[in-house]
Amino acid sequence: MFKHILVAIDGSDLSMKAADLAIGQARLSGAKVTFIHVARKFPIPDALKDYIQAEHLGSDDFYDIDDAVRQVLDGIRDRAKEAGVARVETVFREGKPSRTLVDYARNVKADCIVMGCRGITEIEGMLLGSVAHKVASLAPCTVILAR
Ligand SMILES: Nc1ncnc2c1ncn2[C@@H]1O[C@H](COP(=O)(O)OP(=O)(O)O)[C@@H](O)[C@H]1O
Ligand SMILES: [Mg+2]
């Protein structure tokens, strides 16, 4: 049985399915569940960097943690608690999703990552999303892909 399950949420239907799978597992095993979303850092063009410096704007202004995604994670956390999962948390990170997910799993010693095999940035013809592919290849633990 798993002790700490990390669930990767991008707001897609399959990531929701992953969340439900993890909740079901945690109810049986008493595992801790962490729902994590990684906001991509957009590269800032040089011209814009000058502007940011001139206007004393923090580069944080250009990171995109969507309010909608926060609400989605809050909703999932509440659902997990209602289902009887005692230890639930939500985490937001910024960076490259695959690397950030793998590093986080390693740091907290998660023993399972649950995610969708596809997400919201679907490219037609790809059977497995690039985040799913990289995490499944590089993760330090078991990876469950919801389909
Ligand atoms: N930014 C992200 N933060 C957290 N989880 C993510 C993120 N992007 C993708 N995922 C996870 O990876 C799964 C597969 O998505 P992805 O590989 O990006 O496929 P696609 O190319 O179809 O978007 C998603 O269902 C979700 O569980
Ligand atoms: Mg994607």
Side-chain angles (χ1 to χ4, degrees):
M1 285 286 194
F2 301 117
K3 290 194 175 69
H4 187 177
I5 303 171
L6 192 61
V7 191
I9 302 291
D10 65 352
S12 65
D13 288 348
L14 277 177
S15 73
M16 295 309 181
K17 191 169 173 185
D20 285 335
L21 271 171
I23 290 169
Q25 267 293 320
R27 284 177 70 171
L28 296 174
S29 62
K32 174 179 176 179
V33 182
T34 301
F35 297 105
I36 182 170
H37 174 72
V38 184
R40 284 172 198 279
K41 268 188 193 173
F42 294 103
I44 301 173
D46 285 344
L48 201 52
K49 276 184 193 150
D50 295 342
Y51 168 77
I52 290 167
Q53 218 168 25
E55 296 291 328
H56 305 292
L57 297 172
S59 57
D60 278 357
D61 295 346
F62 290 84
Y63 299 157
D64 177 40
I65 291 187
D66 215 62
D67 258 2
V69 179
R70 280 191 190 278
Q71 281 176 22
V72 167
L73 262 83
D74 285 350
I76 298 169
R77 183 188 52 206
D78 292 348
R79 205 156 81 225
K81 288 206 161 146
E82 279 159 24
V85 179
R87 293 180 299 153
V88 191
E89 65 180 2
T90 56
V91 168
F92 296 89
R93 284 287 187 276
E94 284 159 346
K96 187 182 171 196
S98 53
R99 169 181 282 269
T100 307
L101 289 167
V102 168
D103 286 350
Y104 189 86
R106 185 171 287 116
N107 285 340
V108 302
K109 298 189 172 61
D111 50 5
C112 180
I113 300 172
V114 191
M115 62 198 303
C117 61
R118 299 305 316 258
I120 48 165
T121 42
E122 261 189 76
I123 298 172
E124 212 184 330
M126 289 244 298
L127 300 176
L128 195 61
S130 69
V131 178
H133 177 241
K134 285 184 192 133
V135 171
S137 306
L138 301 171
C141 60
T142 297
V143 178
I144 297 174
L145 297 174
R147 177 167 285 151

